């Protein structure tokens, strides 16, 4: 079975994942990664509770900071996960 890693972190991505993830899981093994960009309950966790998105397999700690700092943290944290999971596809 094909393995797909889906990376989400901001509100629009959670909304898109609510549509894509249930269908994707019918045909592939999906690994969900939450970047941790939004770590406040109202900006993150609430989406996993109220939308058809599975809880993440991995949660990164991108936290707050400039766009460059957040992106750098995400790339550093994603690298070993992507190597370990060895997905066929990555959805960002």
């Amino acid at each position: 079975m094909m393995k797909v890693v889906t990376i989400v972190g901001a509100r629009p991505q959670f909304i898109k994942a609510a549509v894509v993830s249930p269908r994707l899981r019918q045909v592939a093994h999906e690994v969900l990664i939450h970047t941790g960009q939004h770590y406040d309950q109202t900006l993150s966790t609430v989406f996993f509770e109220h939308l058809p998105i599975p809880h993440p397999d991995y949660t990164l700690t991108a936290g707050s900071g400039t766009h460059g700092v957040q992106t750098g943290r995400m790339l550093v944290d994603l690298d070993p996960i992507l190597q370990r999971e060895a997905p066929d596809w990555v959805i960002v």
Side-chain angles (χ1 to χ4, degrees), residues 25-90:
R25 286 174 180 250
Q26 293 174 359
V27 297
H29 173 74
E30 181 186 36
V31 175
L32 188 65
I33 301 175
H34 179 357
T35 63
Q37 289 168 259
H38 293 299
Y39 44 86
D40 181 88
Q41 169 75 14
T42 58
L43 296 175
S44 176
T45 309
V46 69
F47 293 108
F48 297 106
E49 294 171 356
H50 296 286
L51 292 174
I53 308 170
H55 285 274
D57 299 288
Y58 298 92
T59 301
L60 309 181
T61 56
S64 58
T66 65
H67 291 296
V69 168
Q70 282 188 326
T71 301
R73 284 186 194 135
M74 285 182 261
L75 291 173
V76 167
D77 291 348
L78 282 169
D79 191 50
I81 295 170
L82 293 175
Q83 287 183 27
R84 179 174 42 252
E85 293 294 340
D88 298 297
W89 293 90
V90 176

Side-chain angles (χ1 to χ4, degrees), residues 3-4 7-8 14 22 24-25 45 48 81 88:
K3 183 188 278 189
V4 178
I7 302 170
V8 296
F14 296 128
L24 179 60
R25 286 174 180 250
T45 309
F48 297 106
I81 295 170
D88 298 297

